[in-house]
Amino acid sequence: MNNSEFPLDGEFLARRFESHRPHLRAVAYRMLGSGAEADDAVQEAWFRLSRTDAGQVDNLGGWLTTVVGRVCLDMLRSRKSRAEEPLENGTTTARVADVFAADPEQDALLADSVGVALLVVLETLTPAERLAFVLHDLFAVPYEEVADIVGRSPEAARQLASRARRRVQGAEAHDADLVRQREVVDAFLAAAREGDFDALVELLDPDVVARTDVGVTTGAAAVAKGASSFRHFAAVSRPALVDGATGLAVFIDGHLDRTLAFTFVGDRIAVIDIVLDAARVAEQDISLV
């Protein structure tokens, strides 16, 4: 039945639009990775709806999703035309945190469901790949409709989504690895603080290597013994990414004194790189977690 048989006044149309807003914002957030930009895209969809004979729209939710997709595509292409660089972890984290101002509960859920690593990899996709993946894989929009938005054939839209999916799956696996690695390092830190030798041995690969500026220690027992004596430093250690690797940053009197970066085999620590030299520490890329 055509909706034109039921004229839509402004108030009724606004209520119907508001009922779709959470879905539209979720689509836009995953497309753009920014709450502020997502709100702009949704607002533009409202402007376009208000200028349209909504009574002729049979499927308002589908129509609005298509409009938001096109708006987001234009915004992404605008980013590329300004030669913006893909977001790095710190910038993405700041952007995710920044969007919490509008609706903290909803934005927290969105950010949690997307994941920072996934937002980073989405930023590296072409606008068309990103739209195809988000609309089809996350919101089940048919390839025919995706194709209409990106101006390509359904088969081309399918290929866009497939390329994006492969990269996103790799990001999700990496994200899961980082989460597990963080858990292991947190357990290592807790065991070091307690001087729990047995717990430390359980977390270490039997052939673990600990490397410092002045020497190398090998074997789980020897490294665990050294880590047990690390307990006074463990109390002032902070979880961090050290040159992109899961690690720890040690602060003495508020100043960064040394770093530990961990390499894993399975769920055990296989290598610990400890940098003590102040000049080398200053050259490292440290991001506190």
Side-chain angles (χ1 to χ4, degrees):
M1 181 178 295
N2 193 303
N3 287 335
S4 61
E5 296 180 22
F6 300 95
L8 301 179
D9 61 34
E11 183 177 350
F12 179 64
L13 184 60
R15 287 200 303 271
R16 291 195 63 192
F17 179 82
E18 287 302 318
S19 71
H20 292 287
R21 182 183 290 274
H23 165 78
L24 298 175
R25 194 169 188 276
V27 171
Y29 182 87
R30 286 165 171 82
M31 284 289 298
L32 301 169
S34 162
E37 290 185 348
D39 287 335
D40 289 343
V42 173
Q43 192 63 22
E44 177 61 25
W46 165 248
F47 290 147
R48 296 189 185 188
L49 177 63
S50 64
R51 297 193 298 266
T52 300
D53 181 2
Q56 300 298 319
V57 177
D58 292 320
N59 180 354
L60 184 61
W63 187 91
L64 288 169
T65 299
T66 297
V67 170
V68 165
R70 286 175 173 155
V71 171
C72 290
L73 186 60
D74 289 342
M75 294 172 74
L76 289 170
R77 285 171 173 165
S78 178
R79 283 185 194 172
K80 295 294 184 182
S81 69
R82 294 195 304 269
E84 292 186 8
E85 294 295 329
L87 294 180
E88 296 182 2
N89 287 349
T91 307
T92 304
T93 304
R95 175 178 280 187
V96 171
D98 181 61
V99 305
F100 291 165
D103 186 342
E105 182 177 0
Q106 184 185 45
D107 281 332
L109 290 171
L110 286 173
D112 184 60
S113 68
V114 175
V116 172
L118 180 55
L119 284 177
V120 171
V121 81
L122 285 177
E123 287 288 344
T124 69
L125 302 177
T126 68
E129 287 172 342
R130 187 164 179 164
L131 181 139
F133 171 77
V134 169
L135 289 186
H136 181 268
D137 283 45
L138 300 186
F139 294 98
V141 175
Y143 282 121
E144 290 75 15
E145 296 180 27
V146 174
D148 183 55
I149 297 172
V150 298
R152 305 192 187 187
S153 69
E155 181 56 35
R158 186 186 302 273
Q159 291 173 356
L160 288 171
S162 178
R163 286 201 300 269
R165 191 179 304 119
R166 287 193 295 271
R167 298 182 69 179
V168 167
Q169 287 170 345
E172 288 174 334
H174 177 64
D175 203 19
D177 288 344
L178 287 178
V179 170
R180 179 55 187 152
Q181 289 173 11
R182 181 80 270 150
E183 291 172 348
V184 173
V185 171
D186 288 347
F188 173 88
L189 188 57
R193 285 171 176 162
E194 296 297 324
D196 190 337
F197 178 84
D198 291 337
L200 287 166
V201 170
E202 285 298 314
L203 296 166
L204 299 171
D205 185 85
D207 299 316
V208 63
V209 175
R211 300 185 291 220
T212 72
D213 301 338
V214 295
V216 176
T217 302
T218 61
V223 172
K225 182 178 179 180
S228 297
S229 65
F230 175 72
R231 61 194 306 175
H232 58 291
F233 287 113
V236 289
S237 296
R238 296 277 304 278
L241 289 176
V242 180
D243 289 334
T246 301
L248 296 170
V250 181
F251 290 85
I252 304 296
D253 296 328
H255 298 288
L256 182 61
D257 179 76
R258 64 191 64 190
T259 64
L260 290 78
F262 297 84
T263 303
F264 296 80
V265 172
D267 286 340
R268 292 191 174 188
I269 297 168
V271 180
I272 306 175
D273 283 303
I274 306 169
V275 177
L276 307 172
D277 180 73
R280 287 187 59 200
V281 169
E283 293 173 351
Q284 291 181 306
D285 181 13
I286 311 298
S287 300
L288 297 180
V289 177

